[in-house]
Amino acid sequence: MAAVPDQARFDYIVIGASSAGCVLANRLTQSGRHRVLLLEAGGHDHHIWIHIPLGYGKLFDNAKVNWLYKTEPEPELNNRQIIQPRGKVLGGSSSINGLLYVRGQHADYDHWRQLGNAGWGFADVLPYFRRAEDQERGADEFHGTGGPLAVSNVCEPHPLCEAFIEAAQQAGIPRNDDFNGATQEGAGYFQLTAKNGRRWSTAVGYLRQARRRHNLAIVSDALASRILFSGRRAVGVQYVAHGITRTAYADGEVLVSGGAFNSPQLLQLSGLGPAKILRDFGIDVVADMPGVGADLQDHLQIRMQYRCTEPITMNDVINHWRHRYAAGLRYIMSRKGLLTIGAGYAGAFFRTRPELATPDVQIHFLIFSADTAGAVLHAFPGFMVSVCQLRPDSRGFVRIKSNDPHVPPAIQPRYLSARSDCDTVIAAMKALRRIMDEPAMRRYIAQERAPGERCTGDADLLAFARETGTTVYHPTSTCRMGSDPAAVVDERLRVRGFERLRVIDASIMPTVVSGNTNAAAVMIGEKGADMILQDAAALAPLAMSA
Ligand SMILES: Cc1cc2nc3c(=O)[nH]c(=O)nc-3n(C[C@H](O)[C@H](O)[C@H](O)COP(=O)(O)OP(=O)(O)OC[C@H]3O[C@@H](n4cnc5c(N)ncnc54)[C@H](O)[C@@H]3O)c2cc1C
């Protein structure tokens, strides 16, 4: 990592080597014309389990690479505190996530544009998805090749996934071999951000290439604690590295890419946020912005567990040393097999009501079972299937609890606080049960372990969701893009009312996308980089003539 002297000057300072921040670090240094400082609170990404896809399960409680956040007690989830893992490492959450590559629906982005965000319709963002992508299946209208983000197929079919896909078809859900193609609806296999059986985080895809450039300085283990302003212009960043507080200055822009929890936290620590909360913690109010940290959205998943009739699940491999070693050996020899799978193997997108234009539910089909994420697998053959409502109406918040940047903020998604979300979750669980009851799947089910056959009525199903529901790790929208007074950034991702300050990460999504959020965060990084470079190019002649 670079030794950067105190008070050093750069053109751009990127805060957070996140899914989006690594894209910025790469694209902004590509021409060689701009000096960029990348600050990352976590360390390097050498941990072996980061790079083996299945190792994702080993990173849930690893404080070296994970912020290990928790929500406040969630009132509608029986006051449970829900885990909120977040990457704290080069690559951000793309280094610890479940690797599923799902962009969301075309309609998500068209909706962003309808909300007043010019330039964010699906036709506008598709070129950035394609530019980022190195699609194993080759290029077409929806996919690109040669980009920094490798996207690949699962290495081989699995009998349980085949049965699930067939059962979905028996239930009237079509087969879909590309959830990122013309339409999302259907059942099929997920694709992964992986290549040759290795994780393809943005640290691997974007930073490895860029870190050799003389104009990029990367400082890891460096927590940005405050953005510095001259009036309404961002001029630099104060950060803490190895216990020492330093300052870096930006002649161009300060770019906040700390993710959906840390970006609003840093803005609030810097005096941008709800005035009362800032004052309560002794922070000088630079701008009263109630929208900073508001509108938190996340996907809630409800996992149904099944005991399998045949010993063909991952439980049967991991729990027997001989099979486990064989799987390890196979991975070492060929980079294939169980160690290459991500957070879902197969999946489905469907509508709970026929009048809907697009799916409102996503299914993740997992070939193992455990009581909680990252926990020991059950000692019997088992698998799990989760339902996830794609467009929740519930809204929560992120708020500082201290003026100390090391103190985690209060995180409160307020899952299931909207009645419409409860209704969708109930309908989704019923629809999933119908799929599982189709002949193709039924032969593999010895027992529905949870919620269990006694759980039948709507009230029972909702009670199960409240008791067991947990995050799919997709928090967004806490620095929401828009043109209304509560929006934090405009459609060029500039913090409203400020100069030379942008937020570029998952926190700017006006609404959470109907899928997994990493691909969209990378796209936001790609589009954000383009906007910064366009603005710099537009300003350059003015600077010369001044
Ligand atoms: C366990 C898990 C599983 C997931 N599974 C999937 C999946 O399968 N598919 C999918 O598409 N998405 C998945 N996601 C979600 C997806 O990875 C995230 O939405 C995406 O990575 C968010 O990107 P981001 O750019 O907003 O920020 P992040 O990638 O979260 O990164 C923020 C970075 O900023 C750094 N940072 C924060 N504050 C500061 C500061 N003050 N100073 C310096 N550095 C700072 C952090 O340490 C971190 O490295 C998962 C996420 C998790 C946690």
mmCIF file of all heavy atoms in Angstrom, residues 15-20 39-42 56 60 67 85-89 91-94 96-100 222-224 257-260 262 266 343 472-474 505-507 516-519 521, ligand 1:
data_model
loop_
_atom_site.group_PDB
_atom_site.id
_atom_site.type_symbol
_atom_site.label_atom_id
_atom_site.label_comp_id
_atom_site.label_asym_id
_atom_site.label_seq_id
_atom_site.Cartn_x
_atom_site.Cartn_y
_atom_site.Cartn_z
ATOM 1 N N ILE A 15 -13.520 7.358 -1.373
ATOM 2 C CA ILE A 15 -13.623 6.821 -0.004
ATOM 3 C C ILE A 15 -14.348 5.483 -0.068
ATOM 4 O O ILE A 15 -15.555 5.429 -0.316
ATOM 5 C CB ILE A 15 -14.378 7.809 0.912
ATOM 6 C CG1 ILE A 15 -13.635 9.146 0.945
ATOM 7 C CG2 ILE A 15 -14.536 7.212 2.311
ATOM 8 C CD1 ILE A 15 -14.407 10.258 1.605
ATOM 9 N N GLY A 16 -13.609 4.400 0.136
ATOM 10 C CA GLY A 16 -14.193 3.065 0.111
ATOM 11 C C GLY A 16 -13.811 2.310 -1.152
ATOM 12 O O GLY A 16 -14.176 2.718 -2.255
ATOM 13 N N ALA A 17 -13.039 1.206 -0.983
ATOM 14 C CA ALA A 17 -12.680 0.346 -2.131
ATOM 15 C C ALA A 17 -13.810 -0.656 -2.334
ATOM 16 O O ALA A 17 -13.631 -1.870 -2.253
ATOM 17 C CB ALA A 17 -11.366 -0.360 -1.860
ATOM 18 N N SER A 18 -14.988 -0.132 -2.565
ATOM 19 C CA SER A 18 -16.222 -0.918 -2.611
ATOM 20 C C SER A 18 -16.440 -1.513 -3.992
ATOM 21 O O SER A 18 -15.612 -1.343 -4.897
ATOM 22 C CB SER A 18 -17.380 0.024 -2.279
ATOM 23 O OG SER A 18 -17.346 1.137 -3.167
ATOM 24 N N SER A 19 -17.600 -2.156 -4.153
ATOM 25 C CA SER A 19 -17.984 -2.605 -5.498
ATOM 26 C C SER A 19 -17.869 -1.441 -6.467
ATOM 27 O O SER A 19 -17.309 -1.570 -7.556
ATOM 28 C CB SER A 19 -19.431 -3.110 -5.497
ATOM 29 O OG SER A 19 -19.539 -4.283 -4.742
ATOM 30 N N ALA A 20 -18.392 -0.290 -6.077
ATOM 31 C CA ALA A 20 -18.357 0.886 -6.962
ATOM 32 C C ALA A 20 -17.014 1.619 -6.871
ATOM 33 O O ALA A 20 -16.502 2.109 -7.889
ATOM 34 C CB ALA A 20 -19.497 1.833 -6.584
ATOM 35 N N LEU A 39 -9.068 5.428 -0.403
ATOM 36 C CA LEU A 39 -8.985 5.130 1.036
ATOM 37 C C LEU A 39 -9.899 3.963 1.348
ATOM 38 O O LEU A 39 -11.078 3.973 0.964
ATOM 39 C CB LEU A 39 -9.471 6.337 1.851
ATOM 40 C CG LEU A 39 -8.646 7.616 1.787
ATOM 41 C CD1 LEU A 39 -9.360 8.737 2.540
ATOM 42 C CD2 LEU A 39 -7.242 7.392 2.358
ATOM 43 N N GLU A 40 -9.384 2.961 2.057
ATOM 44 C CA GLU A 40 -10.214 1.810 2.431
ATOM 45 C C GLU A 40 -10.024 1.508 3.919
ATOM 46 O O GLU A 40 -8.895 1.322 4.375
ATOM 47 C CB GLU A 40 -9.858 0.596 1.573
ATOM 48 C CG GLU A 40 -10.429 -0.725 2.045
ATOM 49 C CD GLU A 40 -11.939 -0.730 2.287
ATOM 50 O OE1 GLU A 40 -12.702 -0.250 1.435
ATOM 51 O OE2 GLU A 40 -12.353 -1.227 3.376
ATOM 52 N N ALA A 41 -11.140 1.428 4.627
ATOM 53 C CA ALA A 41 -11.082 1.176 6.076
ATOM 54 C C ALA A 41 -10.554 -0.221 6.403
ATOM 55 O O ALA A 41 -9.948 -0.432 7.452
ATOM 56 C CB ALA A 41 -12.474 1.352 6.679
ATOM 57 N N GLY A 42 -10.789 -1.181 5.507
ATOM 58 C CA GLY A 42 -10.332 -2.551 5.746
ATOM 59 C C GLY A 42 -8.951 -2.788 5.154
ATOM 60 O O GLY A 42 -8.282 -1.856 4.696
ATOM 61 N N TYR A 56 -17.534 -18.059 1.044
ATOM 62 C CA TYR A 56 -18.420 -16.955 1.452
ATOM 63 C C TYR A 56 -19.070 -17.244 2.808
ATOM 64 O O TYR A 56 -19.165 -16.375 3.662
ATOM 65 C CB TYR A 56 -19.395 -16.733 0.302
ATOM 66 C CG TYR A 56 -20.858 -16.655 0.607
ATOM 67 C CD1 TYR A 56 -21.449 -15.428 0.853
ATOM 68 C CD2 TYR A 56 -21.643 -17.793 0.594
ATOM 69 C CE1 TYR A 56 -22.809 -15.355 1.105
ATOM 70 C CE2 TYR A 56 -22.994 -17.720 0.844
ATOM 71 C CZ TYR A 56 -23.569 -16.500 1.101
ATOM 72 O OH TYR A 56 -24.898 -16.424 1.351
ATOM 73 N N PHE A 60 -18.875 -14.719 7.292
ATOM 74 C CA PHE A 60 -19.979 -14.032 7.984
ATOM 75 C C PHE A 60 -19.575 -13.467 9.336
ATOM 76 O O PHE A 60 -20.120 -12.468 9.783
ATOM 77 C CB PHE A 60 -21.159 -14.992 8.181
ATOM 78 C CG PHE A 60 -22.041 -15.075 6.987
ATOM 79 C CD1 PHE A 60 -21.951 -16.124 6.105
ATOM 80 C CD2 PHE A 60 -22.961 -14.070 6.726
ATOM 81 C CE1 PHE A 60 -22.761 -16.191 4.988
ATOM 82 C CE2 PHE A 60 -23.780 -14.116 5.615
ATOM 83 C CZ PHE A 60 -23.674 -15.180 4.740
ATOM 84 N N TRP A 67 -17.622 -5.818 8.556
ATOM 85 C CA TRP A 67 -17.968 -4.851 9.616
ATOM 86 C C TRP A 67 -18.839 -5.497 10.706
ATOM 87 O O TRP A 67 -18.985 -4.944 11.792
ATOM 88 C CB TRP A 67 -18.728 -3.655 9.027
ATOM 89 C CG TRP A 67 -17.892 -2.737 8.179
ATOM 90 C CD1 TRP A 67 -17.658 -2.860 6.842
ATOM 91 C CD2 TRP A 67 -17.190 -1.564 8.607
ATOM 92 N NE1 TRP A 67 -16.853 -1.837 6.417
ATOM 93 C CE2 TRP A 67 -16.558 -1.019 7.475
ATOM 94 C CE3 TRP A 67 -17.037 -0.905 9.833
ATOM 95 C CZ2 TRP A 67 -15.784 0.148 7.526
ATOM 96 C CZ3 TRP A 67 -16.272 0.264 9.876
ATOM 97 C CH2 TRP A 67 -15.650 0.772 8.748
ATOM 98 N N PRO A 85 -23.914 -8.226 7.557
ATOM 99 C CA PRO A 85 -22.513 -8.288 7.137
ATOM 100 C C PRO A 85 -22.238 -7.256 6.044
ATOM 101 O O PRO A 85 -23.118 -6.968 5.230
ATOM 102 C CB PRO A 85 -22.370 -9.710 6.592
ATOM 103 C CG PRO A 85 -23.744 -10.195 6.332
ATOM 104 C CD PRO A 85 -24.668 -9.433 7.202
ATOM 105 N N ARG A 86 -21.055 -6.678 6.044
ATOM 106 C CA ARG A 86 -20.620 -5.727 5.006
ATOM 107 C C ARG A 86 -19.130 -5.900 4.831
ATOM 108 O O ARG A 86 -18.398 -5.992 5.830
ATOM 109 C CB ARG A 86 -20.847 -4.262 5.435
ATOM 110 C CG ARG A 86 -22.250 -3.749 5.465
ATOM 111 C CD ARG A 86 -22.827 -3.481 4.087
ATOM 112 N NE ARG A 86 -23.645 -4.573 3.641
ATOM 113 C CZ ARG A 86 -24.115 -4.723 2.410
ATOM 114 N NH1 ARG A 86 -23.850 -3.823 1.491
ATOM 115 N NH2 ARG A 86 -24.840 -5.756 2.076
ATOM 116 N N GLY A 87 -18.665 -5.921 3.608
ATOM 117 C CA GLY A 87 -17.233 -6.064 3.367
ATOM 118 C C GLY A 87 -16.442 -4.907 3.950
ATOM 119 O O GLY A 87 -16.833 -3.745 3.815
ATOM 120 N N LYS A 88 -15.331 -5.266 4.626
ATOM 121 C CA LYS A 88 -14.397 -4.255 5.137
ATOM 122 C C LYS A 88 -13.018 -4.694 4.663
ATOM 123 O O LYS A 88 -12.208 -5.215 5.438
ATOM 124 C CB LYS A 88 -14.470 -4.212 6.663
ATOM 125 C CG LYS A 88 -13.651 -3.112 7.291
ATOM 126 C CD LYS A 88 -13.755 -3.186 8.805
ATOM 127 C CE LYS A 88 -13.026 -2.008 9.436
ATOM 128 N NZ LYS A 88 -13.065 -2.101 10.908
ATOM 129 N N VAL A 89 -12.797 -4.512 3.393
ATOM 130 C CA VAL A 89 -11.638 -5.118 2.732
ATOM 131 C C VAL A 89 -11.608 -4.548 1.310
ATOM 132 O O VAL A 89 -12.627 -4.057 0.828
ATOM 133 C CB VAL A 89 -11.822 -6.665 2.728
ATOM 134 C CG1 VAL A 89 -13.082 -7.098 2.010
ATOM 135 C CG2 VAL A 89 -10.616 -7.387 2.162
ATOM 136 N N GLY A 91 -12.287 -4.324 -2.294
ATOM 137 C CA GLY A 91 -13.390 -4.985 -2.999
ATOM 138 C C GLY A 91 -14.711 -4.818 -2.262
ATOM 139 O O GLY A 91 -15.774 -5.125 -2.801
ATOM 140 N N GLY A 92 -14.635 -4.347 -1.014
ATOM 141 C CA GLY A 92 -15.870 -4.107 -0.242
ATOM 142 C C GLY A 92 -16.707 -5.367 -0.158
ATOM 143 O O GLY A 92 -16.183 -6.478 -0.023
ATOM 144 N N SER A 93 -18.010 -5.219 -0.255
ATOM 145 C CA SER A 93 -18.893 -6.385 -0.124
ATOM 146 C C SER A 93 -18.753 -7.332 -1.320
ATOM 147 O O SER A 93 -19.132 -8.500 -1.219
ATOM 148 C CB SER A 93 -20.342 -5.941 0.047
ATOM 149 O OG SER A 93 -20.469 -5.185 1.230
ATOM 150 N N SER A 94 -18.179 -6.870 -2.434
ATOM 151 C CA SER A 94 -17.994 -7.805 -3.561
ATOM 152 C C SER A 94 -16.932 -8.851 -3.225
ATOM 153 O O SER A 94 -16.806 -9.850 -3.929
ATOM 154 C CB SER A 94 -17.641 -7.065 -4.855
ATOM 155 O OG SER A 94 -16.299 -6.643 -4.882
ATOM 156 N N ILE A 96 -16.943 -10.389 -0.215
ATOM 157 C CA ILE A 96 -17.512 -11.360 0.747
ATOM 158 C C ILE A 96 -18.932 -11.784 0.361
ATOM 159 O O ILE A 96 -19.589 -12.481 1.114
ATOM 160 C CB ILE A 96 -17.522 -10.798 2.186
ATOM 161 C CG1 ILE A 96 -18.535 -9.657 2.355
ATOM 162 C CG2 ILE A 96 -16.145 -10.341 2.617
ATOM 163 C CD1 ILE A 96 -18.931 -9.414 3.814
ATOM 164 N N ASN A 97 -19.410 -11.340 -0.789
ATOM 165 C CA ASN A 97 -20.822 -11.602 -1.084
ATOM 166 C C ASN A 97 -21.039 -13.004 -1.662
ATOM 167 O O ASN A 97 -20.098 -13.782 -1.796
ATOM 168 C CB ASN A 97 -21.406 -10.498 -1.975
ATOM 169 C CG ASN A 97 -20.913 -10.562 -3.410
ATOM 170 O OD1 ASN A 97 -20.287 -11.527 -3.825
ATOM 171 N ND2 ASN A 97 -21.198 -9.527 -4.174
ATOM 172 N N GLY A 98 -22.293 -13.272 -2.007
ATOM 173 C CA GLY A 98 -22.659 -14.613 -2.466
ATOM 174 C C GLY A 98 -22.444 -14.851 -3.938
ATOM 175 O O GLY A 98 -22.823 -15.897 -4.460
ATOM 176 N N LEU A 99 -21.860 -13.879 -4.640
ATOM 177 C CA LEU A 99 -21.414 -13.984 -6.040
ATOM 178 C C LEU A 99 -22.521 -14.012 -7.099
ATOM 179 O O LEU A 99 -22.222 -14.090 -8.291
ATOM 180 C CB LEU A 99 -20.521 -15.220 -6.262
ATOM 181 C CG LEU A 99 -19.139 -15.237 -5.651
ATOM 182 C CD1 LEU A 99 -19.179 -15.830 -4.240
ATOM 183 C CD2 LEU A 99 -18.168 -16.052 -6.480
ATOM 184 N N LEU A 100 -23.789 -13.986 -6.704
ATOM 185 C CA LEU A 100 -24.837 -14.104 -7.722
ATOM 186 C C LEU A 100 -24.855 -12.856 -8.588
ATOM 187 O O LEU A 100 -24.802 -11.734 -8.074
ATOM 188 C CB LEU A 100 -26.209 -14.303 -7.077
ATOM 189 C CG LEU A 100 -26.319 -15.471 -6.101
ATOM 190 C CD1 LEU A 100 -27.759 -15.658 -5.650
ATOM 191 C CD2 LEU A 100 -25.788 -16.751 -6.719
ATOM 192 N N ALA A 222 -7.513 2.554 6.484
ATOM 193 C CA ALA A 222 -7.637 4.017 6.616
ATOM 194 C C ALA A 222 -9.120 4.382 6.653
ATOM 195 O O ALA A 222 -9.818 4.260 5.635
ATOM 196 C CB ALA A 222 -6.962 4.709 5.440
ATOM 197 N N LEU A 223 -9.588 4.811 7.808
ATOM 198 C CA LEU A 223 -11.007 5.135 7.976
ATOM 199 C C LEU A 223 -11.224 6.630 7.765
ATOM 200 O O LEU A 223 -10.709 7.460 8.533
ATOM 201 C CB LEU A 223 -11.448 4.761 9.395
ATOM 202 C CG LEU A 223 -12.905 5.071 9.731
ATOM 203 C CD1 LEU A 223 -13.843 4.065 9.056
ATOM 204 C CD2 LEU A 223 -13.137 5.059 11.250
ATOM 205 N N ALA A 224 -11.961 6.989 6.721
ATOM 206 C CA ALA A 224 -12.298 8.408 6.517
ATOM 207 C C ALA A 224 -13.226 8.834 7.645
ATOM 208 O O ALA A 224 -14.243 8.178 7.902
ATOM 209 C CB ALA A 224 -12.974 8.591 5.165
ATOM 210 N N SER A 257 -17.878 6.391 -1.498
ATOM 211 C CA SER A 257 -18.298 5.061 -1.968
ATOM 212 C C SER A 257 -18.216 4.066 -0.822
ATOM 213 O O SER A 257 -17.683 2.970 -0.965
ATOM 214 C CB SER A 257 -17.385 4.601 -3.128
ATOM 215 O OG SER A 257 -17.483 5.481 -4.214
ATOM 216 N N GLY A 258 -18.746 4.456 0.320
ATOM 217 C CA GLY A 258 -18.629 3.621 1.527
ATOM 218 C C GLY A 258 -19.770 2.648 1.709
ATOM 219 O O GLY A 258 -19.817 1.937 2.713
ATOM 220 N N GLY A 259 -20.720 2.611 0.773
ATOM 221 C CA GLY A 259 -21.832 1.666 0.876
ATOM 222 C C GLY A 259 -23.015 2.250 1.639
ATOM 223 O O GLY A 259 -22.965 3.348 2.194
ATOM 224 N N ALA A 260 -24.103 1.472 1.678
ATOM 225 C CA ALA A 260 -25.402 1.986 2.138
ATOM 226 C C ALA A 260 -25.439 2.316 3.627
ATOM 227 O O ALA A 260 -26.315 3.057 4.067
ATOM 228 C CB ALA A 260 -26.494 0.974 1.804
ATOM 229 N N ASN A 262 -22.268 3.062 5.520
ATOM 230 C CA ASN A 262 -21.169 3.962 5.879
ATOM 231 C C ASN A 262 -21.200 5.286 5.128
ATOM 232 O O ASN A 262 -20.686 6.286 5.651
ATOM 233 C CB ASN A 262 -19.830 3.263 5.643
ATOM 234 C CG ASN A 262 -19.636 2.095 6.601
ATOM 235 O OD1 ASN A 262 -20.466 1.189 6.626
ATOM 236 N ND2 ASN A 262 -18.603 2.107 7.395
ATOM 237 N N LEU A 266 -20.838 8.722 7.119
ATOM 238 C CA LEU A 266 -19.748 9.695 6.921
ATOM 239 C C LEU A 266 -20.302 11.088 6.611
ATOM 240 O O LEU A 266 -19.787 12.089 7.108
ATOM 241 C CB LEU A 266 -18.825 9.224 5.788
ATOM 242 C CG LEU A 266 -17.649 10.160 5.508
ATOM 243 C CD1 LEU A 266 -16.720 10.278 6.720
ATOM 244 C CD2 LEU A 266 -16.856 9.688 4.277
ATOM 245 N N ALA A 343 -24.130 -18.170 -3.318
ATOM 246 C CA ALA A 343 -25.203 -18.104 -2.321
ATOM 247 C C ALA A 343 -26.526 -18.671 -2.811
ATOM 248 O O ALA A 343 -27.493 -18.729 -2.064
ATOM 249 C CB ALA A 343 -25.407 -16.667 -1.901
ATOM 250 N N VAL A 472 -31.251 -10.455 2.890
ATOM 251 C CA VAL A 472 -30.510 -11.017 1.742
ATOM 252 C C VAL A 472 -29.308 -10.119 1.469
ATOM 253 O O VAL A 472 -28.689 -10.205 0.421
ATOM 254 C CB VAL A 472 -31.377 -11.147 0.481
ATOM 255 C CG1 VAL A 472 -30.743 -12.081 -0.535
ATOM 256 C CG2 VAL A 472 -32.757 -11.647 0.776
ATOM 257 N N TYR A 473 -29.023 -9.196 2.360
ATOM 258 C CA TYR A 473 -27.807 -8.365 2.290
ATOM 259 C C TYR A 473 -27.837 -7.339 1.164
ATOM 260 O O TYR A 473 -26.823 -7.099 0.522
ATOM 261 C CB TYR A 473 -26.554 -9.270 2.134
ATOM 262 C CG TYR A 473 -26.644 -10.561 2.884
ATOM 263 C CD1 TYR A 473 -26.788 -11.778 2.206
ATOM 264 C CD2 TYR A 473 -26.613 -10.584 4.270
ATOM 265 C CE1 TYR A 473 -26.899 -12.975 2.893
ATOM 266 C CE2 TYR A 473 -26.724 -11.788 4.972
ATOM 267 C CZ TYR A 473 -26.866 -12.973 4.269
ATOM 268 O OH TYR A 473 -26.980 -14.159 4.947
ATOM 269 N N HIS A 474 -29.004 -6.722 0.950
ATOM 270 C CA HIS A 474 -29.113 -5.762 -0.145
ATOM 271 C C HIS A 474 -29.542 -4.368 0.321
ATOM 272 O O HIS A 474 -30.445 -3.773 -0.265
ATOM 273 C CB HIS A 474 -30.115 -6.269 -1.191
ATOM 274 C CG HIS A 474 -29.700 -7.538 -1.864
ATOM 275 N ND1 HIS A 474 -30.577 -8.359 -2.533
ATOM 276 C CD2 HIS A 474 -28.483 -8.126 -1.977
ATOM 277 C CE1 HIS A 474 -29.916 -9.403 -3.014
ATOM 278 N NE2 HIS A 474 -28.643 -9.280 -2.695
ATOM 279 N N ASP A 505 -22.357 4.705 -5.021
ATOM 280 C CA ASP A 505 -22.425 3.316 -4.531
ATOM 281 C C ASP A 505 -23.892 2.909 -4.435
ATOM 282 O O ASP A 505 -24.780 3.640 -4.923
ATOM 283 C CB ASP A 505 -21.699 3.164 -3.178
ATOM 284 C CG ASP A 505 -22.268 4.076 -2.087
ATOM 285 O OD1 ASP A 505 -23.450 4.453 -2.183
ATOM 286 O OD2 ASP A 505 -21.535 4.407 -1.140
ATOM 287 N N ALA A 506 -24.158 1.791 -3.770
ATOM 288 C CA ALA A 506 -25.537 1.281 -3.705
ATOM 289 C C ALA A 506 -26.470 2.217 -2.943
ATOM 290 O O ALA A 506 -27.692 2.097 -3.063
ATOM 291 C CB ALA A 506 -25.548 -0.102 -3.065
ATOM 292 N N SER A 507 -25.918 3.138 -2.165
ATOM 293 C CA SER A 507 -26.789 4.024 -1.383
ATOM 294 C C SER A 507 -27.562 5.013 -2.249
ATOM 295 O O SER A 507 -28.529 5.611 -1.788
ATOM 296 C CB SER A 507 -25.979 4.779 -0.319
ATOM 297 O OG SER A 507 -25.160 5.751 -0.919
ATOM 298 N N ASN A 516 -30.236 -8.970 -7.143
ATOM 299 C CA ASN A 516 -29.124 -8.831 -6.208
ATOM 300 C C ASN A 516 -28.402 -7.530 -6.573
ATOM 301 O O ASN A 516 -28.484 -7.068 -7.711
ATOM 302 C CB ASN A 516 -28.246 -10.069 -6.312
ATOM 303 C CG ASN A 516 -29.082 -11.347 -6.166
ATOM 304 O OD1 ASN A 516 -29.934 -11.632 -6.999
ATOM 305 N ND2 ASN A 516 -28.885 -12.071 -5.113
ATOM 306 N N THR A 517 -27.696 -6.940 -5.642
ATOM 307 C CA THR A 517 -27.346 -5.523 -5.841
ATOM 308 C C THR A 517 -25.912 -5.244 -6.293
ATOM 309 O O THR A 517 -25.573 -4.102 -6.594
ATOM 310 C CB THR A 517 -27.623 -4.754 -4.538
ATOM 311 O OG1 THR A 517 -27.181 -5.542 -3.431
ATOM 312 C CG2 THR A 517 -29.093 -4.452 -4.378
ATOM 313 N N ASN A 518 -25.074 -6.285 -6.356
ATOM 314 C CA ASN A 518 -23.676 -6.014 -6.708
ATOM 315 C C ASN A 518 -23.531 -5.532 -8.153
ATOM 316 O O ASN A 518 -22.819 -4.551 -8.422
ATOM 317 C CB ASN A 518 -22.829 -7.279 -6.483
ATOM 318 C CG ASN A 518 -21.368 -7.039 -6.779
ATOM 319 O OD1 ASN A 518 -20.768 -6.103 -6.255
ATOM 320 N ND2 ASN A 518 -20.778 -7.859 -7.629
ATOM 321 N N ALA A 519 -24.199 -6.203 -9.080
ATOM 322 C CA ALA A 519 -24.073 -5.813 -10.491
ATOM 323 C C ALA A 519 -24.495 -4.362 -10.670
ATOM 324 O O ALA A 519 -23.831 -3.583 -11.385
ATOM 325 C CB ALA A 519 -24.939 -6.725 -11.361
ATOM 326 N N ALA A 521 -24.395 -1.996 -8.385
ATOM 327 C CA ALA A 521 -23.395 -1.099 -7.767
ATOM 328 C C ALA A 521 -22.203 -0.909 -8.708
ATOM 329 O O ALA A 521 -21.656 0.206 -8.821
ATOM 330 C CB ALA A 521 -22.934 -1.671 -6.423
HETATM 331 C C1 LIG B 1 -22.880 -11.472 2.781
HETATM 332 C C2 LIG B 1 -23.312 -10.740 1.546
HETATM 333 C C3 LIG B 1 -23.823 -11.465 0.469
HETATM 334 C C4 LIG B 1 -24.234 -10.795 -0.685
HETATM 335 N N1 LIG B 1 -24.587 -11.536 -1.778
HETATM 336 C C5 LIG B 1 -24.767 -10.905 -2.955
HETATM 337 C C6 LIG B 1 -24.913 -11.646 -4.151
HETATM 338 O O1 LIG B 1 -24.854 -12.875 -4.163
HETATM 339 N N2 LIG B 1 -25.090 -10.952 -5.311
HETATM 340 C C7 LIG B 1 -25.157 -9.598 -5.342
HETATM 341 O O2 LIG B 1 -25.349 -9.026 -6.419
HETATM 342 N N3 LIG B 1 -25.032 -8.874 -4.216
HETATM 343 C C8 LIG B 1 -24.794 -9.493 -3.039
HETATM 344 N N4 LIG B 1 -24.571 -8.770 -1.919
HETATM 345 C C9 LIG B 1 -24.726 -7.308 -1.986
HETATM 346 C C10 LIG B 1 -23.623 -6.591 -2.744
HETATM 347 O O3 LIG B 1 -22.377 -7.227 -2.551
HETATM 348 C C11 LIG B 1 -23.588 -5.133 -2.302
HETATM 349 O O4 LIG B 1 -24.844 -4.540 -2.576
HETATM 350 C C12 LIG B 1 -22.536 -4.313 -3.019
HETATM 351 O O5 LIG B 1 -21.277 -4.920 -2.896
HETATM 352 C C13 LIG B 1 -22.526 -2.897 -2.430
HETATM 353 O O6 LIG B 1 -21.521 -2.161 -3.035
HETATM 354 P P1 LIG B 1 -21.173 -0.703 -2.556
HETATM 355 O O7 LIG B 1 -20.292 -0.148 -3.624
HETATM 356 O O8 LIG B 1 -22.389 0.050 -2.247
HETATM 357 O O9 LIG B 1 -20.389 -0.825 -1.159
HETATM 358 P P2 LIG B 1 -19.563 -2.005 -0.488
HETATM 359 O O10 LIG B 1 -19.096 -2.942 -1.558
HETATM 360 O O11 LIG B 1 -20.346 -2.545 0.627
HETATM 361 O O12 LIG B 1 -18.249 -1.352 0.071
HETATM 362 C C14 LIG B 1 -18.088 -0.292 0.969
HETATM 363 C C15 LIG B 1 -16.585 -0.185 1.220
HETATM 364 O O13 LIG B 1 -16.289 1.086 1.768
HETATM 365 C C16 LIG B 1 -15.418 0.919 2.869
HETATM 366 N N5 LIG B 1 -15.678 2.037 3.786
HETATM 367 C C17 LIG B 1 -16.836 2.312 4.382
HETATM 368 N N6 LIG B 1 -16.728 3.433 5.127
HETATM 369 C C18 LIG B 1 -15.464 3.872 4.983
HETATM 370 C C19 LIG B 1 -14.750 4.978 5.501
HETATM 371 N N7 LIG B 1 -15.333 5.863 6.318
HETATM 372 N N8 LIG B 1 -13.439 5.122 5.170
HETATM 373 C C20 LIG B 1 -12.842 4.228 4.339
HETATM 374 N N9 LIG B 1 -13.479 3.157 3.810
HETATM 375 C C21 LIG B 1 -14.779 2.985 4.124
HETATM 376 C C22 LIG B 1 -15.827 -0.423 3.450
HETATM 377 O O14 LIG B 1 -14.833 -0.973 4.284
HETATM 378 C C23 LIG B 1 -16.072 -1.236 2.194
HETATM 379 O O15 LIG B 1 -14.890 -1.822 1.707
HETATM 380 C C24 LIG B 1 -24.165 -9.381 -0.747
HETATM 381 C C25 LIG B 1 -23.647 -8.658 0.322
HETATM 382 C C26 LIG B 1 -23.204 -9.323 1.455
HETATM 383 C C27 LIG B 1 -22.626 -8.538 2.591
#
